[in-house]
Amino acid sequence: MLNRWLFKQVDNSALIVFRVFFGLLITLEAWGSIWTGWVNRTLIEPEFTFNFIGFEFLQPLPGDAMLWYYGLMGVLGIFIMLGFKYRLSMFSFGLMWASVYLMQKSSYNNHYYLLMLLCMIFVFLPMHRYFSIDALRNKNLRSISMPRWVWVVIVLQLWIVFAYASIAKMYPDWLDGTLPAILMKSKEDYWLVGEFLQQGWVRYAIAYFGLLFDLLIIPALLWKKTRVPAFLAAIFFHLFNSFIFHIGIFPYLSLAFSLFFFPSEKINKWFLFRRKPYYEGDEVIVPKYRNLIIFLISGWFIIQISLPLRHWFFKDNVLWTEEGHRLSWRMMLRSKGGRSTFKVVEKGATDTIYVNKSDYLSRKQMHAINSKPDMMWQFAQRLKEEYANRGKEIEVYIDSRVRVNGRPSQQFIDPKVDMAAEKWQHFKHKDWILPSKLD
């Protein structure tokens, strides 16, 4: 039964067409990052970047080399779109994307994380078996079918993303419209829709449509009777997010994934104009490495299901501590800001130095560090290293206040703790984060 469910051959038209869209979108993402100045602002202009802790060896290339870096990623995207040296191109793009993702957190985005995961998955999928330069050059590579596990992996990965995004919204500040109202307040100057978005009922429409969309979109697309209405709702939802929140290629990538929910015969007719034969067989091909495939798929999804749950094992509220927030599909779930003052005390001296953060940080980094405890710790370590290079041993103390979702601010970091002396522990609550009053 398992063999037939996973290894039955099905038509691969959706996979082939999706590869073309995916290659185009990642090319636009890479080259768009250059054109909009994102690469300059995030990777070139800052004095240093806030890496994911443990990946400090990943640093931006000097000078304007990061522009060439992103230019090369765009070229790899075209190679993927055309199916040229597909696996090498996908692996190379994925490696370059993951490196940038891990070398900076100031512009953390769940969609960047998703793209990293997709690249890791797509390296192993037969997305180049038709309508590609690889298949044109090697006829033995050409195929009009794929094992069904390919479809299962893609749909299950999407389901995890949307299901967790919906579950995360099930908390008071989302359900009572507080957070949607805050998010829309920042859009009041938008052309045409700014004033409309401030109306009282809109916050509730956004809150419950967003929650229900994330919860139901995958089942609704899977069921034939609700597929078309769900797709129309997806078009509205993703175009709305693209216009209001400016979140890059993600809305269009999500719409491209809809290919996997419509009958392959129609995808073949609509996009490949029947130039590709439609596979109508019922063949089951169980490869020699069957057990390895099942092991890898099972392991991957155990990790994907487990990671978003880890914040429950940390003390206090994740909205406050940020512990377990990343890699968990907690998208647009809080409005958070604050202020922080870093105080340097040299050991053996009485002088106190109040650090001017703007001497070290970009505007985006300045905003992020005021509410992210891991970045505060990293900046304290940066100061410790700088003074050590001058032959000085210092202590670093932080006076910080943070507000969440419009609540009054409260003390965030214990001002009596020397942050320069603290060690980072990935899987343990940081006692120097003061308790919240969010509950």
Side-chain angles (χ1 to χ4, degrees):
M1 179 68 72
L2 183 62
N3 284 346
R4 182 165 186 81
W5 191 64
L6 290 179
F7 298 104
K8 180 181 183 297
Q9 296 294 300
V10 296
D11 184 78
N12 64 356
S13 296
L15 187 70
I16 301 305
V17 174
F18 178 82
R19 187 204 75 232
V20 176
F21 281 121
F22 182 76
L24 174 62
L25 288 171
I26 62 176
T27 296
L28 294 174
E29 178 72 25
W31 288 351
S33 297
I34 300 173
W35 182 71
T36 60
W38 186 93
V39 176
N40 267 310
R41 293 191 303 273
T42 307
L43 299 170
I44 296 177
E45 294 175 0
E47 183 180 327
F48 68 98
T49 60
F50 288 93
N51 299 72
F52 277 72
I53 296 172
F55 291 89
E56 288 77 16
F57 61 92
L58 294 173
Q59 295 294 325
L61 299 173
D64 291 335
M66 290 308 297
L67 297 175
W68 292 100
Y69 185 99
Y70 267 76
L72 177 57
M73 283 203 294
V75 172
L76 290 171
I78 291 178
F79 286 175
I80 291 166
M81 181 175 63
L82 298 176
F84 175 67
K85 300 289 184 181
Y86 167 76
R87 294 198 192 279
L88 177 61
S89 298
M90 184 64 77
F91 175 80
S92 300
F93 181 92
L95 182 62
M96 294 178 76
W97 183 266
S99 296
V100 172
Y101 175 80
L102 294 170
M103 76 171 60
Q104 64 83 26
K105 289 183 294 191
S106 302
S107 295
Y108 175 82
N109 191 314
N110 279 282
H111 311 146
Y112 298 163
Y113 171 52
L114 176 62
L115 185 52
M116 182 176 73
L117 296 183
L118 292 176
C119 288
M120 294 170 66
I121 294 172
F122 291 167
V123 168
F124 301 98
L125 302 190
M127 301 177 80
H128 60 316
R129 292 296 186 93
Y130 207 91
F131 197 60
S132 70
I133 294 176
D134 289 351
L136 185 65
R137 297 171 64 188
N138 181 1
K139 293 183 178 180
N140 293 327
L141 185 68
R142 194 177 304 171
S143 175
I144 62 172
S145 66
M146 65 183 183
R148 184 153 51 193
W149 66 259
V150 172
W151 179 88
V152 170
V153 166
I154 292 172
V155 171
L156 187 53
Q157 181 65 63
L158 289 176
W159 206 334
I160 289 172
V161 173
F162 283 102
Y164 273 118
S166 177
I167 292 170
K169 290 180 174 69
M170 297 178 186
Y171 83 103
D173 287 357
W174 185 272
L175 297 176
D176 67 10
T178 296
L179 182 61
I182 293 172
L183 295 177
M184 292 306 104
K185 181 66 176 175
S186 64
K187 317 298 179 185
E188 61 183 346
D189 294 330
Y190 271 34
W191 173 76
L192 193 62
V193 299
E195 185 176 347
F196 169 77
L197 294 174
Q198 309 313 309
Q199 297 186 41
W201 66 271
V202 172
R203 70 182 68 178
Y204 295 104
I206 290 172
Y208 287 93
F209 181 77
L211 188 154
L212 292 173
F213 178 89
D214 289 343
L215 183 65
L216 300 175
I217 185 59
I218 300 301
L221 285 171
L222 287 171
W223 192 25
K224 183 179 179 181
K225 292 184 178 180
T226 56
R227 184 173 296 140
V228 172
F231 179 61
L232 294 176
I235 292 174
F236 171 78
F237 179 80
H238 292 302
L239 292 184
F240 176 86
N241 284 341
S242 178
F243 178 70
I244 299 299
F245 297 110
H246 303 155
I247 49 178
I249 66 169
F250 178 71
Y252 308 99
L253 181 61
S254 297
L255 288 173
F257 273 117
S258 300
L259 291 164
F260 294 101
F261 298 93
F262 286 89
S264 290
E265 188 173 9
K266 291 185 177 180
I267 300 301
N268 189 24
K269 177 182 177 181
W270 295 339
F271 293 96
L272 297 173
F273 310 107
R274 292 180 175 169
R275 293 178 182 175
K276 169 187 170 296
Y278 177 70
Y279 179 80
E280 298 181 277
D282 195 37
E283 190 175 12
V284 177
I285 302 176
V286 181
K288 294 179 180 179
Y289 43 87
R290 166 197 180 274
N291 291 341
L292 177 61
I293 291 175
I294 293 175
F295 173 78
L296 291 176
I297 292 174
S298 301
W300 175 267
F301 285 113
I302 287 172
I303 293 172
Q304 291 302 306
I305 292 170
S306 301
L307 268 180
L309 298 174
R310 71 192 191 282
H311 72 86
W312 293 107
F313 297 92
F314 286 101
K315 183 179 178 181
D316 214 329
N317 193 319
V318 62
L319 292 171
W320 177 253
T321 67
E322 298 285 316
E323 294 171 325
H325 172 81
R326 297 188 184 94
L327 319 184
S328 298
W329 313 119
R330 301 180 57 81
M331 297 180 270
M332 291 186 289
L333 279 178
R334 77 274 196 263
S335 173
K336 196 171 182 181
R339 63 164 182 80
S340 60
T341 301
F342 286 73
K343 182 173 68 174
V344 171
V345 178
E346 184 180 349
K347 292 185 178 180
T350 57
D351 292 342
T352 297
I353 301 171
Y354 289 93
V355 177
N356 185 354
K357 290 180 295 183
S358 62
D359 291 340
Y360 298 87
L361 307 177
S362 68
R363 184 185 306 176
K364 178 167 281 191
Q365 289 174 329
M366 291 266 290
H367 176 76
I369 200 176
N370 285 334
S371 61
K372 306 294 190 298
D374 56 332
M375 295 175 69
M376 292 180 180
W377 178 86
Q378 286 177 288
F379 188 52
Q381 301 306 306
R382 173 77 178 194
L383 294 171
K384 177 183 177 180
E385 180 183 353
E386 177 184 312
Y387 278 85
N389 291 335
R390 302 180 197 172
K392 298 179 180 181
E393 191 175 355
I394 64 167
E395 298 171 350
V396 179
Y397 299 93
I398 304 175
D399 179 21
S400 170
R401 297 190 68 86
V402 167
R403 62 183 180 278
V404 179
N405 293 350
R407 292 180 174 84
S409 65
Q410 67 177 92
Q411 197 80 30
F412 186 47
I413 302 297
D414 189 338
K416 298 178 181 178
V417 172
D418 174 14
M419 294 293 286
E422 290 295 311
K423 303 298 182 183
W424 186 263
Q425 295 177 304
H426 287 278
F427 305 106
K428 184 179 178 182
H429 171 67
K430 314 304 178 291
D431 292 331
W432 39 264
I433 301 176
L434 296 174
S436 74
K437 300 176 183 176
L438 296 183
D439 295 326

